[in-house]
Amino acid sequence: MKRKPQALFPHLLLEAGCIKENVYHTIRNAILDGRLSAGIKLPSSRAFAEMMSISRNSVIAGFERLIDEGYLVTRQGSGTYVSTTIPDESFNDIMENVSA
């Protein structure tokens, strides 16, 4: 059985500040600028948290927001993947400004 490539994150660095927000922004920016391509599998929240030396709850919060906005999709029993269709960036920028 052929496995899909999985994203590696040594090049992703979190900024100072709210960690769950930084998880969201770091992954979102990596998707938008092409460092994470459509269909690539992300590590589990547990593995991601361990790689980044952060709380798993922060990773889950960041992942959930990305899933809600359509940047990531989950496949039960398989994992979390970068969506093949990226949501409209201007809509997300408007929503980000509203919540700020």
Side-chain angles (χ1 to χ4, degrees):
M1 183 164 88
K2 188 175 180 182
R3 299 183 108 196
K4 281 196 161 220
Q6 185 167 338
L8 299 175
F9 291 93
H11 61 284
L12 294 180
L13 300 174
L14 299 178
E15 302 288 327
C18 181
I19 295 173
K20 67 181 180 182
E21 289 295 316
N22 284 315
V23 168
Y24 164 80
H25 287 291
T26 300
I27 295 174
R28 179 179 177 264
N29 290 339
I31 291 169
L32 292 175
D33 68 20
R35 288 181 286 151
L36 291 177
S37 56
I40 197 153
K41 182 178 180 179
L42 273 64
S44 69
S45 59
R46 189 176 316 269
F48 189 90
E50 191 173 311
M51 282 188 280
M52 303 300 282
S53 298
I54 59 176
S55 162
R56 183 172 177 229
N57 288 335
S58 296
V59 174
I60 291 170
F63 277 19
E64 285 177 351
R65 183 169 171 194
L66 290 160
I67 291 165
D68 289 345
E69 292 182 8
Y71 290 99
L72 300 178
V73 295
T74 58
R75 298 182 192 142
Q76 189 171 3
S78 179
T80 304
Y81 298 83
V82 175
S83 178
T84 55
T85 56
I86 302 304
D88 185 273
E89 189 175 344
S90 61
F91 172 77
N92 287 315
D93 289 339
I94 291 169
M95 294 307 293
E96 196 169 286
N97 290 333
V98 169
S99 66

